[in-house]
Amino acid sequence: MFVHTLGNTEVTQLTMGDYDIGDFCWSPDGSQIAFTSSIAEEHSLEDLDLSLMNDVYVMTNSGENHRKYTSSSTTIYSVCFSPDGHSLAVFGSDHSHLNATHAGLYIRSFDEDAAWKPLTKSYDIQLTNSMVSDMRSGIRSNGPVFSEDGAYIYALVTREGGVNLAKTSVYGEGYEWVSYGKRDIYQFELLRGGHFILAAADLTHPGDLYELSPETGQENRLTQHNEQLLNELIIATPEEFQMEASDGAFLQGWIMKPTGTKKGDKIPTVLEIHGGPHAMYGYTFIHEFQLLVARGYAVIYTNPRGGYGYSQEFVSSVRGDYGGRDYQDLMEFTDYAVAHYDYIDEKRLLVTGGSYGGFMTNWIVGHTNRFKAAVTQRSISNWISFYGVSDIGFFFTEDQIGGNVWENTELLWKHSPLAYVHKIETPLLILHGEEDLRCPIEQAEQLFNALKRLGKKTQFIRFPKANHDLSRGGHPGLRVKRLNHIVRWFDEHKDL
């Protein structure tokens, strides 16, 4: 950690050693800095490579006398001081549901006998923004923010397709909504006097700034960055619908159709599947969907089992069941959409998704021939070769699938789409970045070579100098090419 003195070139190094600094926060009087890290000699595990846990430290503003305030039993995402400087609040995970665990809010004072107090344990909600969008990249959701009087802590909450601002009492007496509406608030700032600046998107607007008065609930829109462009385009408004899965679970979904659709029209329809799987589709603007609609396709999308925004049980139920209930949710969702929207052409269904959505696309075409064509993006095809080579480590496979390569080879293969490649009849386009460290490109290479060896209809497009973030933060030229390839593949195969 370094401190740069404004007005000159002076830089002071505050920390040094074989550890990284995660989040950090200055105390209100500027005398202390709280930060998150994993320091080997102060961690409860001897080998930090085997741990997902980190700790909260506080040091002086000169980098001296750091002191640990956690017990290496939680993953801390962000940290902040209370206004009086006497307490810390953090977002963290106790890993009770491993990778699928809802983020929780915790608080503790600096008293010697104080302990961390969970404030949201009983709420069954996901703190922070977990919305999927291709309109922003690298924007970090806010950490906890204290009210000016220190009585409340503000946080973004992901729930049932929306992300809004809420507050909870430091005494853990429940939470209240501060903002409302079907929208996607991805950042906020608390101003002096208690007003907020919100950065928010919705179904038809990519994002703008708003000033919110919590006393009155009134909002003042401060920017209209995309107004001129949006006025030149026809923007489709997604229609929300809800359905009950065969096991009684609530599924929330959306459908978009081209402008000018008339009664009796039959429209080719794309099923879009989000990544994660612990993420959420919802009330936000997605450029890819708008492009597909503009090119004459209807688009349907939902949050199958495993997505955030609902209950902890809903999120964690996908673990150990990839290709099971989640696949069933997507097929039942498609059935429902076809039955209730007569303009969907059931004979011209198409499917695409990236990351987990790419895995599920691979899985779908290996288990059903109902889709005319598919596009798999930055996907997983083989859990055995994926083990230990992703930038999210070996933890992900063990957590999500339930085993490792030397003890559970058959289990990992059972959940691998590559095991069913001989059953694939759907024309499959494979898109993958060559510098993808999350889902390494060998996953795409194996799938492509198997399909070619079997004489299947496939193409493989490699994107040079592109990583897992291509669709959101990749080079603009490559992002355009990616979208053009998706549309091209669907155009070429929807009527075959």
Side-chain angles (χ1 to χ4, degrees):
M1 183 182 296
F2 296 82
V3 173
H4 174 230
T5 303
L6 297 179
N8 58 43
T9 59
E10 182 182 348
V11 176
T12 303
Q13 184 172 349
L14 300 183
T15 62
M16 59 185 66
D18 295 330
Y19 57 88
D20 296 323
I21 302 296
D23 192 44
F24 71 93
C25 178
W26 288 83
S27 65
D29 64 2
S31 64
Q32 301 181 92
I33 303 172
F35 65 94
T36 64
S37 186
S38 294
I39 301 177
E41 56 267 28
E42 300 180 32
H43 200 278
S44 61
L45 283 184
E46 184 174 327
D47 188 349
L48 292 187
D49 290 337
L50 302 179
S51 175
L52 292 173
M53 310 304 186
N54 61 352
D55 289 293
V56 173
Y57 294 86
V58 176
M59 64 182 178
T60 66
N61 60 10
S62 59
E64 300 174 337
N65 303 322
H66 77 255
R67 180 178 177 183
K68 189 170 76 165
Y69 281 89
T70 48
S71 58
S72 307
S73 60
T74 306
T75 298
I76 308 297
Y77 305 125
S78 54
V79 58
C80 73
F81 277 95
S82 61
D84 61 10
H86 294 162
S87 300
L88 290 174
V90 301
F91 286 152
S93 168
D94 62 7
H95 288 270
S96 56
H97 296 265
L98 299 180
N99 180 262
T101 308
H102 279 161
L105 174 61
Y106 303 81
I107 189 172
R108 69 154 288 169
S109 71
F110 287 110
D111 296 338
E112 288 295 328
D113 59 347
W116 286 97
K117 177 183 178 181
L119 299 181
T120 56
K121 190 173 183 178
S122 63
Y123 298 166
D124 204 13
I125 58 174
Q126 167 64 5
L127 301 177
T128 72
N129 184 307
S130 298
M131 184 80 78
V132 173
S133 173
D134 60 359
M135 295 306 299
R136 54 185 181 271
S137 177
I139 295 178
R140 185 176 181 182
S141 184
N142 294 76
V145 174
F146 279 91
S147 60
E148 289 183 296
D149 60 7
Y152 294 92
I153 299 175
Y154 298 101
L156 295 178
V157 174
T158 295
R159 184 176 179 184
E160 295 183 3
V163 181
N164 272 292
L165 182 62
K167 67 177 182 180
T168 187
S169 167
V170 296
Y171 304 106
E173 298 171 350
Y175 72 96
E176 304 173 32
W177 293 109
V178 177
S179 71
Y180 302 88
K182 295 183 175 182
R183 64 200 313 200
D184 169 23
I185 297 176
Y186 46 92
Q187 278 193 317
F188 72 93
E189 189 72 27
L190 175 62
L191 306 178
R192 290 181 181 177
H195 284 213
F196 293 90
I197 300 296
L198 310 176
D202 59 35
L203 290 169
T204 57
H205 294 86
D208 274 298
L209 298 179
Y210 301 81
E211 183 178 6
L212 168 66
S213 169
E215 295 86 358
T216 64
Q218 296 297 311
E219 288 189 18
N220 177 33
R221 184 175 177 180
L222 302 177
T223 64
Q224 298 185 9
H225 287 303
N226 299 287
E227 205 68 16
Q228 181 177 348
L229 174 62
L230 294 177
N231 287 337
E232 298 173 359
L233 302 173
I234 297 175
I235 302 298
T237 301
E239 176 186 344
E240 180 186 355
F241 62 93
Q242 301 175 3
M243 61 162 286
E244 184 177 309
S246 58
D247 64 352
F250 159 80
L251 292 181
Q252 183 180 26
W254 292 264
I255 185 167
M256 302 167 65
K257 65 179 179 180
T259 301
T261 299
K262 302 183 296 295
K263 185 175 179 59
D265 286 348
K266 287 293 185 179
I267 301 171
T269 300
V270 181
L271 171 64
E272 288 269 3
I273 309 171
H274 68 63
H278 311 312
M280 181 185 74
Y281 277 146
Y283 306 118
T284 198
F285 188 97
I286 301 182
H287 174 251
E288 179 178 322
F289 298 0
Q290 294 287 344
L291 173 65
L292 287 168
V293 172
R295 293 296 297 265
Y297 295 91
V299 175
I300 54 176
Y301 54 105
T302 187
N303 296 311
R305 232 61 61 100
Y308 277 136
Y310 309 95
S311 67
Q312 179 66 82
E313 179 184 3
F314 189 94
V315 180
S316 60
S317 63
V318 74
R319 293 172 48 240
D321 192 37
Y322 274 47
R325 184 68 242 190
D326 51 354
Y327 168 68
Q328 195 172 344
D329 281 350
L330 289 166
M331 294 303 98
E332 291 179 6
F333 172 80
T334 303
D335 293 340
Y336 182 95
V338 169
H340 288 79
Y341 296 90
D342 58 9
Y343 55 82
I344 293 178
D345 189 345
E346 188 174 10
K347 296 180 180 179
R348 292 190 293 170
L349 294 175
L350 310 131
V351 61
T352 186
S355 196
Y356 164 78
F359 160 86
M360 186 51 66
T361 299
N362 298 340
W363 186 269
I364 286 172
V365 297
H367 288 78
T368 179
N369 292 327
R370 73 184 301 183
F371 295 91
K372 295 287 288 188
V375 180
T376 183
Q377 308 170 52
R378 58 193 187 279
S379 71
I380 293 174
S381 64
N382 183 351
W383 287 108
I384 296 174
S385 66
F386 180 82
Y387 184 90
V389 301
S390 169
D391 65 358
I392 49 178
F394 59 85
F395 301 98
F396 191 80
T397 303
E398 293 183 356
D399 174 9
Q400 298 291 294
I401 305 303
N404 58 55
V405 294
W406 57 93
E407 295 175 320
N408 312 104
T409 308
E410 291 184 8
L411 175 66
L412 269 56
W413 187 242
K414 173 185 174 182
H415 289 279
S416 296
L418 194 62
Y420 310 94
V421 67
H422 58 287
K423 297 181 179 181
I424 296 177
E425 301 297 336
T426 307
L428 182 62
L429 174 64
I430 303 169
L431 306 179
H432 217 106
E434 292 187 338
E435 297 182 6
D436 191 333
L437 301 180
R438 181 63 44 84
C439 297
I441 197 168
E442 56 91 15
Q443 294 287 308
E445 292 169 338
Q446 290 183 71
L447 181 60
F448 174 69
N449 279 287
L451 289 168
K452 289 291 287 185
R453 180 68 180 82
L454 291 167
K456 309 291 187 176
K457 179 69 174 181
T458 186
Q459 283 187 8
F460 181 19
I461 308 297
R462 306 167 64 103
F463 293 86
K465 299 182 180 179
N467 60 25
H468 199 67
D469 204 37
L470 170 62
S471 66
R472 302 173 291 270
H475 186 282
L478 294 182
R479 293 178 68 181
V480 170
K481 288 181 181 296
R482 168 188 163 272
L483 291 169
N484 285 340
H485 279 301
I486 294 172
V487 174
R488 171 188 63 81
W489 190 257
F490 288 158
D491 284 349
E492 289 175 357
H493 295 93
K494 69 178 187 296
D495 296 315
L496 296 180

